[in-house]
Amino acid sequence: MSRHGGARMSSQLDARLEALNDARELADGVLPEDVLEEVLQLLERATSRRSLSADHTVVGFFGATGSGKSSLFNAVSGAEIATAAVRRPTTTEPLAGVWGADGSDPLLDWLDVRSRHHAGPVDGFADEETGLILLDLPDFDSTRAANRDIVQRMVGLVDVLVWVLDPQKYADAAVHNDYLSPLAAHGAVTLVVLNQTDRLPERDIPPVLESLKGILARDGLGTVQVIGASAVTGSGVDRVRAAIRHVVLQRQASAQRLTADVARASRQLREVSGDGDAAGVRAGSKARLADELATAANVPLVVGAVDRSYRLESARRTGWPVTRWLLKFRPDPLRRLNLRSSSPSELSRTSLPPAGAPERARTDAAVRQFADDASDGAPGPWRAAIRGAAREGRERLPDALDQAIAGTDLSAARKSWWWPLFNLVQWLALLTVLGGLGWLGVLAGLGYLQLPVPDVPRVEGWPVPTLMIAGGVVLGIFLALTGKFIGAAAARARAAGARRRLRAAVATVATELVVEPVEVEVARLRSFNAALDKAGAK
């Protein structure tokens, strides 16, 4: 691969690793911790591997007991490395054959491979310039747990995986279910060798290889190269060498391996997360939530109190002065609810009835319905996260709503322009009545004292004092009735304004305690899906 192609792959890998890490962080608290921990370990392995030699390719030989893995390792290496180093029938610890010693030690230290052999050049395969590390590993079906642990660790660390199978156990479910199937994304860095073909009749080799390819296809590894070989006769060994050399010379096995790891981790996250996206917060859902919370918070009661309070205050200021003083004994509905307080909203509280079971049930139902609407379409874990975010602020809602109502300007202290005018005319009408009564009283007193009584001016035959009394009374009553109708209309308008402001205050609380937390979770799911798409991009 060209230098530019390598740089492009490295850049793409950087982007995918970053996207996978973003997905992991976004899923924190939503997806299972063990899955997220596996992703974190992968990211840490990737960081460690990329900080080590990029000029070396690590090729691991994996196989079951009796597969001839070590023999094939020696045949490919061109020397009895495994036998000389291990000196026992089976491999019990990793053994490295190294071509290109410079810079290999830190990488082998990270792999925890202590047994190292600086191999000699093999024509057409490897020399000091190749930068190849071959690992002979313990049997994956070893009876020793320590050996199996080594294999499990190395499966996640090596750059290229060479699986050595034998004709008797090539279909063994253990290797396919436990190792090959989970590595379906790693086809570019996987090689399968059917060893010990010398034990098969020549005519049986092609059918066995085809059978193995069919099984690998079902494992998701249909594109993996399958080679028949015999460490005893040397048949196929050159093809194994050629396949390994081809991968090594590309200098991209490490990046390809990590790219496959990222793709696999992305699929795992997708599997535990599930597919789908949340419907999100819609304007209609927000409006319904605000309406339901307003009802549960007794906003209609407050609006009714604003209406009645204005009517009462109008009657006190514009009613007939003779009877309006009786209204002083009627309590102000807003004052009874402690909604005429001038205290700061964060210190004031209303005297509204505390939320009972019906109100709490209505609040819970409204929050639950809102969360259900917003999480519609989201996969299970994220739906639960969205609902949980909506429920977190539910306990704070009653107090927050009460404080919002207490801090809302209900225009309770605002006077209407027509009150002074009506009040002035009412007092003039009353003075007119009193003037007429006084005039008649003087006339009556003069007559009672047998003094001369002056003639009273008349209008259309009606005495002026009488007209003054009648006119004042009629005008006072008319103004009182007119003021009542005007006050009712103005009260409805003021109540409507109060309803709008109260609903806006309730909507603000709902947004802060319910809507915004839900929107954060919805946005988190969308970012998670986008990050997974980027991390697992083909």
Side-chain angles (χ1 to χ4, degrees), residues 96-385:
V98 182
W99 287 265
D102 292 344
S104 64
D105 285 342
L107 178 55
L108 289 167
D109 290 341
W110 176 66
L111 292 168
D112 195 22
V113 176
R114 294 184 294 273
S115 299
R116 308 169 186 180
H117 179 78
H118 294 164
V122 178
D123 290 340
F125 177 53
D127 54 29
E128 283 297 307
E129 301 299 322
T130 306
L132 170 63
I133 299 176
L134 285 187
L135 296 182
D136 185 26
L137 301 168
D139 302 331
F140 63 75
D141 60 350
S142 173
T143 56
R144 296 182 57 188
N147 288 355
R148 296 194 301 273
D149 291 342
I150 291 173
V151 173
Q152 288 284 0
R153 183 170 61 85
M154 287 299 183
V155 164
L157 297 179
V158 300
D159 301 327
V160 180
L161 303 100
V162 177
W163 293 95
V164 182
L165 308 178
D166 64 86
Q168 285 73 38
K169 294 187 292 186
Y170 71 88
D172 186 4
V175 65
H176 290 278
N177 295 337
D178 297 342
Y179 294 99
L180 291 173
S181 292
L183 294 172
H186 296 68
V189 290
T190 300
L191 175 65
V192 176
V193 179
L194 181 67
N195 194 24
Q196 301 176 349
T197 55
D198 57 289
R199 297 185 179 183
L200 291 172
E202 189 70 25
R203 66 177 182 278
D204 290 342
I205 295 176
V208 172
L209 289 174
E210 288 301 316
S211 174
L212 175 56
K213 290 178 181 179
I215 296 173
L216 291 172
R218 290 195 293 272
D219 293 335
L221 294 166
T223 61
V224 169
Q225 186 175 1
V226 179
I227 300 174
S230 171
V232 175
T233 66
S235 172
V237 172
D238 287 341
R239 291 185 61 198
V240 176
R241 287 175 177 170
I244 293 175
R245 178 178 174 81
H246 175 75
V247 174
V248 172
L249 292 181
Q250 292 292 311
R251 302 293 185 194
Q252 293 300 319
S254 174
Q256 290 174 331
R257 166 63 202 259
L258 292 177
T259 298
D261 286 342
V262 171
R264 179 188 177 193
S266 299
R267 282 198 301 273
Q268 288 177 327
L269 287 179
R270 181 72 73 189
E271 288 172 0
V272 297
S273 168
D275 289 320
D277 208 345
V281 176
R282 299 187 177 94
S285 296
K286 289 175 62 175
R288 284 192 297 273
L289 175 66
D291 288 341
E292 290 298 312
L293 292 182
T295 301
N298 290 308
V299 165
L301 178 63
V302 176
V303 171
V306 170
D307 183 288
R308 294 192 302 276
S309 176
Y310 185 87
R311 291 172 187 256
L312 179 61
E313 190 66 18
S314 294
R316 287 174 177 173
R317 293 179 179 271
T318 65
W320 195 27
V322 176
T323 58
R324 72 168 67 169
W325 63 274
L326 295 173
L327 299 177
K328 294 182 179 180
F329 297 101
R330 292 179 58 182
D332 187 326
L334 286 178
R335 197 174 300 281
R336 292 180 64 181
L337 297 177
N338 195 31
L339 290 174
R340 281 187 177 272
S341 174
S342 60
S343 303
S345 61
E346 63 270 15
L347 300 178
S348 61
R349 291 292 185 273
T350 72
S351 296
L352 289 167
E359 289 76 20
R360 288 194 298 270
R362 188 171 197 138
T363 299
D364 291 348
V367 172
R368 183 170 58 253
Q369 184 61 53
F370 175 78
D372 288 344
D373 291 343
S375 64
D376 185 37
W382 293 95
R383 186 181 301 114

